């Protein structure tokens, strides 16, 4: 089957992805697409196919060895073998290993529920807004809400959740910067360097927590136990790094692009300002409309198979294109319309099946806190540049803003 080239990483796509997604969907529910750096990939583009791909554990697997292939194939070519434990995190595993790892982290994750931590998250947001407001009043210049709010807030939240010292946050902001930018050899080396530094730092933090347990998920993970089973040191380091990476940029994009979307849909923003009970459905609609994580990690057929009219070979890579599933006209009425009243809204922004997002409650709570505090404090908030000049993030596979200059009114 001939593959088509769709570039999902241009500014034009990120600004308005809906025509491209409609063209992809028009090719059929399963399409072969060529990507820079990655090569050819199958994509499940309809809601039904994406959902089946993520839920059918008999036919689709994540680990090469579950499809009878050598395990090493799971590692990208540029990944040093010394970092193998990182490749074996639960998001890359099938059952029963996935269940074991997720069970241990869920136990630790759920012990202090998100609701219990909410007042602390509220306080973090209030302090960020105090600082931004003071700066705006002092200088009168537009404020970049990505650098000033969307990035530091989820980072502070995840560090707080893990129990990492707050004085280490500036270092994380610097390391997190390594993950931005379009793919290039330079960016790959930068990412590897950042992962190495995070790896060493987390190992040291685990050592400190073992000696002196403190509040937070790292100490909970050390204590977590199921039928005499515990996480090994390597598994724990990899799990904490997964939580840091999965829990940070995703939420940055939801908050940054979420604010932009409300500012560019003033009637919807007004509805929310007059009825804050709509905040839950607003966040859901932002998740559907934006798909901050545009596609899942690849699955692969466990055997050669014929699926939605395509012949897939055992071990072929196939991703669920969540961005397309979330605007599938078979599932959502008038899907390109942003509507905070949409109900029901069974979007797939958090994935589906066994790998459904572990942090979905946390991500929702963060977005609710950010929108509520920002818009009640600055109800006349406005963009400082025309929407056509706003820069979207070049991070592949995601949709979010690089910067969002606003006036805090
Ligand atoms: C707007 C914010 C977020 C979005 C859109 C999002 C989206 C997703 C998606 C689509 C997946 C499935 C990926 C796949 O199947 O390949 C996933 C998995 C995951 N997410 Fe999130 N996520 C968000 C925030 C978070 C946060 C805040 C955390 C943690 C603190 C988190 C932790 C995880 C983990 C650990 C997994 C892997 C679960 C598993 O393999 O069982 N995510 N997320």
């Amino acid at each position: 089957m001939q593959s088509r080239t769709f570039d999902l990483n241009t500014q034009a796509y990120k600004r308005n992805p809906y025509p491209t997604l409609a063209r992809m969907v028009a090719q059929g529910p399963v399409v072969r697409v060529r990507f820079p750096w990655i090569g050819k990939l199958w994509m499940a583009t309809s809601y039904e196919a994406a959902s089946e791909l993520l839920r059918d554990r008999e036919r689709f697997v994540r680990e090469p060895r579950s499809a009878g292939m050598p395990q090493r194939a799971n590692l990208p070519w540029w990944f040093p073998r010394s970092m193998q434990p990182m490749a074996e995190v639960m998001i890359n595993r099938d059952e029963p290993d996935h269940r074991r790892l997720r069970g241990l982290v869920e136990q630790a994750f759920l012990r202090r529920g998100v609701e219990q931590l909410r007042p602390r998250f509220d306080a973090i947001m209030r302090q960020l807004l105090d600082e931004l407001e003071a700066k705006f009043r002092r200088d009168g210049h537009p404020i970049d809400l990505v650098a000033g709010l969307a990035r530091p807030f989820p980072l502070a939240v995840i560090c707080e959740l893990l129990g990492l010292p707050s004085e280490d946050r500036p270092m994380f902001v610097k390391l997190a910067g390594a993950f931005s930018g379009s793919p290039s050899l330079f960016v790959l080396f930068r990412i590897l360097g950042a992962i190495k530094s995070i790896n060493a730092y987390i190992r040291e933090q685990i050592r400190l927590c073992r000696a002196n347990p403190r509040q937070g998920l790292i100490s909970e993970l050390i204590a977590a136990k199921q039928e005499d089973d515990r996480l090994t040191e390597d598994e724990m380091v990899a799990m904490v790094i997964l939580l840091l990476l999965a829990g940070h940029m995703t939420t940055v994009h939801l908050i940054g692009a979420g604010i932009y979307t409300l500012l560019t849909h003033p009637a919807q923003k007004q509805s929310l300002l007059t009825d804050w009970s709509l905040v839950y459905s607003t966040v859901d609609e932002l998740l559907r409309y934006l798909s901050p994580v545009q596609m899942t990690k690849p699955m692969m057929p466990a055997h050669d198979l014929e699926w939605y009219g395509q012949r897939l070979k055992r071990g072929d890579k196939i991703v669920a294109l969540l961005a397309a599933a979330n605007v599938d006209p078979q599932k959502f009425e008038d899907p390109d319309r942003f509507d905070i009243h949409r109900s029901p809204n069974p979007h797939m922004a958090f994935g589906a099946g066994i790998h459904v997002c572990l942090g979905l409650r946390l991500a929702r709570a963060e977005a609710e806190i950010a929108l509520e505090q920002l818009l009640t404090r600055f109800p006349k908030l406005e963009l400082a540049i025309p929407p056509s000049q706003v820069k979207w993030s070049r991070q592949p596979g995601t949709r979010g803003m690089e910067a969002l200059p606003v006036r805090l009114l």
Side-chain angles (χ1 to χ4, degrees):
M1 182 236 147
Q2 218 197 340
S3 59
R4 291 274 308 265
T5 305
F6 287 97
D7 196 341
L8 307 187
N9 210 24
T10 61
Q11 287 293 309
Y13 170 82
K14 299 253 170 135
R15 194 173 302 124
N16 180 13
Y18 311 105
T20 309
L21 293 171
R23 273 203 309 282
M24 288 177 89
V25 171
Q27 307 263 308
V30 178
V31 293
R32 187 105 169 121
V33 182
R34 184 193 299 274
F35 277 99
W37 287 87
I38 299 172
K40 286 185 203 160
L41 264 187
W42 289 102
M43 291 193 143
T45 59
S46 72
Y47 189 93
E48 192 189 358
S51 173
E52 213 175 302
L53 173 69
L54 298 174
R55 290 189 161 99
D56 185 338
R57 290 194 274 129
E58 292 297 309
R59 284 191 293 174
F60 298 104
V61 296
R62 216 158 239 185
E63 286 182 70
R65 69 177 158 206
S66 311
M69 332 262 297
Q71 172 62 17
R72 283 260 159 114
N74 207 12
L75 282 176
W77 60 266
W78 45 269
F79 214 79
R81 301 291 162 226
S82 59
M83 289 201 213
Q84 174 79 23
M86 276 283 315
E88 298 198 342
V89 283
M90 65 180 172
I91 200 165
N92 292 334
R93 308 298 288 275
D94 292 313
E95 304 299 34
D97 300 328
H98 168 268
R99 192 178 313 125
R100 168 183 168 259
L101 293 167
R102 183 149 175 156
L104 285 162
V105 70
E106 255 172 2
Q107 197 189 102
F109 208 77
L110 297 178
R111 198 162 299 162
R112 274 198 309 162
V114 170
E115 282 314 308
Q116 210 185 322
L117 289 165
R118 214 175 159 119
R120 180 68 198 119
F121 299 160
D122 265 321
I124 295 175
M125 174 54 70
R126 209 166 305 117
Q127 193 190 340
L128 282 173
L129 287 177
D130 285 347
E131 286 163 16
L132 292 182
E133 185 173 19
K135 192 166 172 228
F136 184 67
R137 301 246 175 280
R138 192 178 59 236
D139 307 339
H141 299 313
I143 293 288
D144 175 6
L145 278 188
V146 172
L149 182 147
R151 261 193 220 131
F153 181 53
L155 191 71
V157 164
I158 193 79
C159 287
E160 181 93 7
L161 194 84
L162 289 166
L164 296 173
S166 53
E167 58 272 21
D168 294 345
R169 271 179 221 155
M171 174 198 71
F172 274 112
V173 173
K174 216 168 131 223
L175 288 174
F179 293 86
S180 60
S182 331
S184 69
L185 213 50
F186 173 69
V187 170
L188 284 186
F189 280 122
R190 210 174 57 189
I191 291 177
L192 274 183
I195 293 179
K196 268 193 166 160
S197 308
I198 296 176
N199 202 327
Y201 170 80
I202 297 299
R203 225 169 259 283
E204 172 66 5
Q205 290 297 316
I206 291 174
R207 199 185 59 74
L208 292 173
C209 284
R210 273 197 208 285
N212 279 311
R214 53 169 105 117
Q215 277 239 325
L217 203 64
I218 295 185
S219 294
E220 307 269 12
L221 281 174
I222 292 171
K225 194 169 146 184
Q226 270 178 349
E227 295 160 13
D228 277 341
D229 182 22
R230 288 175 188 275
L231 293 174
T232 65
E233 169 114 358
D234 276 349
E235 285 172 342
M236 215 175 314
V237 174
M239 183 72 82
V240 172
I241 295 178
L242 173 67
L243 291 172
L244 268 171
L245 298 183
H248 182 226
M249 282 319 280
T250 48
T251 320
V252 173
H253 292 327
L254 173 62
I255 295 175
I259 296 166
Y260 169 84
T261 305
L262 283 166
L263 292 182
T264 48
H265 293 80
Q268 301 281 322
K269 179 187 139 205
Q270 198 48 45
S271 288
L272 178 61
L273 280 175
T274 47
D275 180 3
W276 276 101
S277 71
L278 288 170
V279 72
Y280 193 88
S281 62
T282 300
V283 171
D284 257 334
E285 179 65 347
L286 287 169
L287 282 158
R288 184 196 72 82
Y289 187 74
L290 295 165
S291 297
V293 173
Q294 296 261 292
M295 63 189 84
T296 62
K297 287 186 138 260
M299 307 290 293
M300 55 193 82
H303 322 277
D304 293 358
L305 57 93
E306 178 104 18
W307 196 55
Y308 288 97
Q310 303 285 15
R311 273 169 191 243
L312 309 190
K313 291 217 179 63
R314 175 175 74 107
D316 274 357
K317 291 196 167 144
I318 173 162
V319 303
L321 186 58
L322 304 171
N326 282 338
V327 292
D328 182 343
Q330 305 284 339
K331 191 73 185 177
F332 300 98
E333 208 184 306
D334 206 356
D336 300 357
R337 186 164 51 91
F338 173 65
D339 177 6
I340 66 169
H341 297 89
R342 192 180 288 275
S343 172
N345 192 347
H347 65 77
M348 238 192 270
F350 288 121
I354 61 167
H355 294 286
V356 70
C357 181
L358 176 80
L360 58 88
R361 266 196 230 111
L362 179 63
R364 271 182 204 288
E366 289 181 57
E368 283 173 23
I369 290 170
L371 292 181
E372 245 178 293
Q373 285 208 31
L374 178 73
L375 294 178
T376 46
R377 189 154 165 178
F378 307 108
K380 295 195 187 124
L381 181 80
E382 62 179 28
L383 277 177
I385 54 174
S388 59
Q389 287 177 21
V390 168
K391 284 234 161 29
W392 291 79
S393 162
R394 290 169 302 152
Q395 194 189 22
T398 63
R399 185 157 178 246
M401 322 300 302
E402 187 65 38
L404 189 63
V406 297
R407 278 184 279 272
L408 294 180
L409 304 171

